[in-house]
């Protein structure tokens, strides 16, 4: 088989109608070179603190990206064959063998967001000229591996090359933030910032919750067995994260449930959570109360809240037990916001100092609940389509669904939410193209004039994200 060229069409993702496509092309030309603002992601801050060469193409591009590994697993490819190391470290493929397996199955990603992003990485970042498949696997592996050994592919150099204005990582409240401290000492502290992810110490279902809460007390010198001391410990760690550059918190709760309970009931729930005796309902109440407490703390310290409910995490127990968390076995489920958020909103919903960015994996909530909520409460902003919805079709559906009710100003622009560093520019490229395509439709149907569309293209590309996350 002859090798097929890898080409990125300059007008990809734009509308097929020539006149509308021309408007989209013009709008995209005004935003395509703007810096990238990435206020929510999951890359490893040690990459940038150490600034060492990435070891091989697989550990950088394949194994940390559960968008990729879950698709191949669904087709019967073991995770070990893709270089994902199990807890017992048995049977894991070496990088070149894993890459060959990935290349042999790369056709599975046709027309998927993962395939579009990965093609962008190969073509735009590495200059690969032929499509990835079994026949080209070794050639492309050697090409990418050779590039990774050069200085221009060191982590900090990639931040410069991609023109990433800001990149946020996400850390546990028990993290010492050593990597961020080193980045600050070397002048990178405002470029790579942390995000406070309290799940290990606020979710009773989290592995090792009781030990985590005890460790929280040791770190802060607070009595985390007492409700007041537990809250003081959380305030202490939030302050620690803010001093290391954090502008936001991130909450991966199963639902959007909030609560506003009396302190005596809160103490009872804390006791049960530490003892591991809470019912499922009690765990939900505890998490819900903590969201309300976090909102109260956000009003005081200015950190932006991000709420990401709706994922049935670690749905496959076999994968969870053998490989741990975040291995592609998380599944979306239905979610409800209006009644769930009401206890919190009754107390803080009208406070303009509070900012909560809401995400969903349940598209049915966009028009029914989220857009009306954000279109009313001054503390609420809609996050972009996230995770399973981070795609061409879902992004267009999002704009068409929420804009007429919430407008553009009640949305947070785009964030890439990725563990795969080299896909950051690909994801922003797709988002900007989709937004320009949507704006072009509005112009072509005379719902928006071109000057307003130009302004909105800038907003959607960078300005809304800067504002939503209080960046500068």
């Amino acid at each position: 088989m002859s090798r097929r060229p890898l080409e990125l069409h300059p007008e990809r993702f734009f509308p097929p109608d020539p006149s509308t496509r021309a408007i989209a092309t013009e709008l995209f030309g005004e935003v395509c070179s703007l810096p990238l603002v990435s206020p929510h992601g999951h890359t490893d801050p040690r990459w940038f603190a150490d600034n060492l060469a990435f070891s091989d193409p697989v550990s950088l591009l394949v194994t940390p990206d559960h968008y990729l590994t879950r698709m191949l697993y669904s087709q019967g490819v073991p995770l070990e064959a893709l270089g994902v190391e199990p807890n017992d470290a048995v049977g894991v493929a070496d990088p070149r063998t894993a890459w060959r397996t990935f290349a042999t199955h790369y056709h599975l990603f046709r027309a998927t967001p993962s395939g579009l992003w990965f093609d962008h990485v190969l073509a735009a970042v590495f200059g690969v000229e032929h499509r990835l498949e079994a026949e080209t696997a070794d050639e492309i592996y050697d090409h990418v591996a050779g590039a990774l050994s050069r200085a221009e592919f060191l982590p900090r150099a990639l931040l410069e090359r991609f023109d990433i204005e800001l990149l946020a990582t996400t850390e546990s409240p028990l993290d010492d933030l050593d990597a961020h401290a080193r980045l600050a000492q070397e002048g990178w502290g405002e470029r790579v910032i942390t995000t406070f992810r309290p799940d290990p110490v606020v979710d009773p279902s989290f592995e090792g919750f009781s030990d985590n809460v005890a460790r929280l007390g040791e770190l802060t010198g607070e009595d985390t067995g007492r409700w007041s001391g537990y809250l003081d410990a959380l305030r202490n760690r939030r302050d620690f994260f803010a001093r290391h550059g954090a502008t936001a918190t991130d909450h991966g709760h199963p639902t959007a449930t909030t609560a506003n309970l009396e302190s005596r009931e809160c103490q009872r729930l804390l006791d049960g959570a530490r003892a591991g005796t809470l019912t499922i309902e009690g765990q939900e109440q505890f998490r819900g109360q903590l969201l309300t407490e976090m909102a109260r703390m956000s009003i005081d310290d200015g950190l932006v809240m991000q709420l990401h409910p709706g994922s049935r995490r670690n749905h496959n127990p076999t994968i969870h037990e053998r490989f741990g968390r975040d291995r592609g076995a998380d599944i979306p489920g239905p979610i409800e916001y209006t009644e769930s958020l009401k206890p919190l909103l009754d107390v803080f919903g009208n406070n303009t100092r509070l900012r909560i960015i809401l995400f969903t994996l349940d598209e049915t909530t966009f028009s029914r609940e989220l857009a009306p909520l954000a279109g009313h409460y001054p503390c609420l902003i809609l996050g972009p389509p996230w995770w399973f919805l981070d795609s061409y079709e879902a992004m267009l559906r999002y704009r068409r669904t929420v804009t007429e009710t919430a407008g553009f100003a009640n949305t947070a622009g785009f964030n890439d939410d990725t563990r795969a560093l080299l896909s950051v520019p690909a994801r922003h490229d797709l988002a900007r193209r989709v937004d320009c395509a949507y704006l072009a439709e509005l112009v072509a149907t005379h719902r928006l004039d071109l000057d307003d569309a130009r302004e909105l293209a800038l907003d959607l590309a960078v300005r809304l994200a800067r504002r939503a996350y209080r960046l500068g």
Side-chain angles (χ1 to χ4, degrees):
M1 180 186 294
S2 60
R3 297 184 302 172
R4 296 181 297 163
L6 174 58
E7 299 174 340
L8 302 179
H9 195 285
E11 294 180 338
R12 58 193 181 279
F13 313 126
F14 293 158
D17 173 70
S19 59
T20 312
R21 173 175 289 205
I23 299 170
T25 301
E26 178 183 345
L27 294 173
F28 182 71
E30 298 191 15
V31 300
C32 62
S33 298
L34 293 176
L36 308 185
V37 180
S38 183
H40 176 86
H42 304 287
T43 53
D44 190 336
R46 293 173 296 182
W47 291 346
F48 311 105
D50 298 338
N51 202 36
L52 300 175
F54 294 106
S55 60
D56 62 84
V58 169
S59 64
L60 174 63
L61 299 174
V62 179
T63 56
D65 192 341
H66 52 206
Y67 287 83
L68 299 177
T69 58
R70 73 187 310 272
M71 173 66 84
L72 272 67
Y73 184 80
S74 77
Q75 291 293 302
V77 179
L79 294 183
E80 303 95 312
L82 301 170
V84 181
E85 187 169 321
N87 295 331
D88 57 14
V90 174
V92 63
D94 66 87
R96 185 178 290 275
T97 301
W99 183 266
R100 288 170 177 164
T101 300
F102 177 63
T104 300
H105 295 84
Y106 190 61
H107 63 278
L108 298 173
F109 297 100
R110 290 170 178 160
T112 67
S114 296
L116 298 171
W117 296 328
F118 207 86
D119 282 350
H120 187 283
V121 170
L122 292 179
V125 178
F126 289 106
V128 172
E129 297 180 350
H130 297 96
R131 299 192 65 82
L132 179 63
E133 47 201 344
E135 291 78 8
T136 60
D138 282 338
E139 173 191 331
I140 293 175
Y141 182 94
D142 291 336
H143 179 93
V144 173
L148 294 178
S149 68
R150 301 199 298 269
E152 60 264 35
F153 283 87
L154 292 176
R156 294 182 188 179
L158 289 171
L159 291 180
E160 297 284 8
R161 176 181 172 184
F162 298 156
D163 196 14
I164 297 178
E165 174 180 297
L166 176 133
L167 181 73
T169 66
T170 308
E171 277 72 56
S172 158
L174 306 179
D175 197 293
D176 63 8
L177 301 186
D178 172 70
H180 286 281
R182 287 187 284 138
L183 284 164
Q185 290 172 357
E186 297 178 24
W188 286 78
E190 295 183 359
R191 188 78 167 271
V192 181
I193 65 173
T194 185
T195 302
F196 182 74
R197 179 75 175 242
D199 295 3
V201 296
V202 301
D203 182 357
S205 69
F206 203 96
E207 299 95 328
F209 173 80
S210 184
D211 291 338
N212 293 340
V213 172
R215 177 61 180 151
L216 176 67
E218 294 170 2
L219 287 173
T220 60
E222 300 289 350
D223 180 0
T224 52
R226 293 170 47 252
W227 179 248
S228 60
Y230 172 65
L231 295 182
D232 286 341
L234 290 170
R235 290 189 188 93
N236 181 298
R237 293 307 286 175
R238 290 170 63 103
D239 178 67
F240 177 74
F241 271 66
R243 286 186 279 111
H244 282 78
T247 68
T249 67
D250 185 30
H251 308 270
H253 290 209
T255 74
T257 294
T258 62
N260 186 23
L261 305 172
E262 297 291 335
S263 59
R264 181 177 299 179
E265 178 65 6
C266 295
Q267 182 65 57
R268 185 191 69 79
L269 290 172
L270 176 61
D271 291 341
R274 294 174 64 229
T277 59
L278 284 185
T279 63
I280 298 298
E281 181 183 1
Q283 292 180 14
E284 186 74 344
Q285 280 189 311
F286 186 81
R287 286 188 293 260
Q289 182 65 33
L290 263 297
L291 284 180
T292 303
E293 299 296 345
M294 288 290 163
R296 191 189 317 274
M297 294 179 196
S298 288
I299 291 171
D300 292 336
D301 62 25
L303 295 182
V304 176
M305 288 183 68
Q306 300 173 95
L307 180 57
H308 290 77
S311 177
R312 305 323 189 238
R313 297 180 186 270
N314 308 308
H315 193 269
N316 186 334
T318 301
I319 293 298
H320 186 210
E321 291 166 10
R322 185 139 197 260
F323 295 93
R325 302 173 67 89
D326 301 321
R327 291 304 182 186
D330 300 339
I331 309 295
I335 198 76
E336 189 277 336
Y337 290 86
T338 304
E339 294 304 319
S340 294
L341 290 174
K342 196 169 191 314
L344 185 155
L345 294 174
D346 283 348
V347 183
F348 302 122
N350 301 298
N351 193 314
T352 57
R353 295 173 60 188
L354 176 62
R355 183 164 299 163
I356 304 175
I357 302 177
L358 296 175
F359 295 78
T360 193
L361 292 174
D362 182 354
E363 287 185 286
T364 66
T365 64
F366 277 135
S367 60
R368 184 180 68 245
E369 298 183 74
L370 290 177
L373 283 167
H376 173 73
Y377 284 99
C379 70
L380 298 181
I381 295 177
L382 295 185
W386 162 58
W387 204 345
F388 293 90
L389 305 180
D390 186 8
S391 67
Y392 172 82
E393 296 288 353
M395 287 177 180
L396 276 178
R397 289 196 298 269
Y398 170 82
R399 290 291 172 210
R400 290 171 177 150
T401 299
V402 308
T403 301
E404 291 182 330
T405 302
F408 292 100
N410 285 314
T411 65
F414 177 71
N415 58 63
D416 48 78
D417 187 39
T418 183
R419 303 172 191 277
L421 173 63
L422 271 64
S423 74
V424 170
R427 293 166 187 250
H428 282 264
D429 177 82
L430 172 60
R432 290 176 179 184
R433 288 175 182 272
V434 171
D435 284 339
C436 289
Y438 176 69
L439 293 172
E441 290 179 3
L442 297 182
V443 173
T445 53
H446 305 291
R447 288 176 283 169
L448 190 70
D449 69 36
L450 187 58
D451 286 341
D452 285 341
R454 291 191 180 102
E455 282 292 310
L456 286 168
L458 293 171
D459 288 341
L460 296 172
V462 292
R463 294 195 297 216
L464 287 175
R466 289 170 180 158
R467 189 187 74 178
Y469 287 87
R470 293 172 172 159
L471 303 174

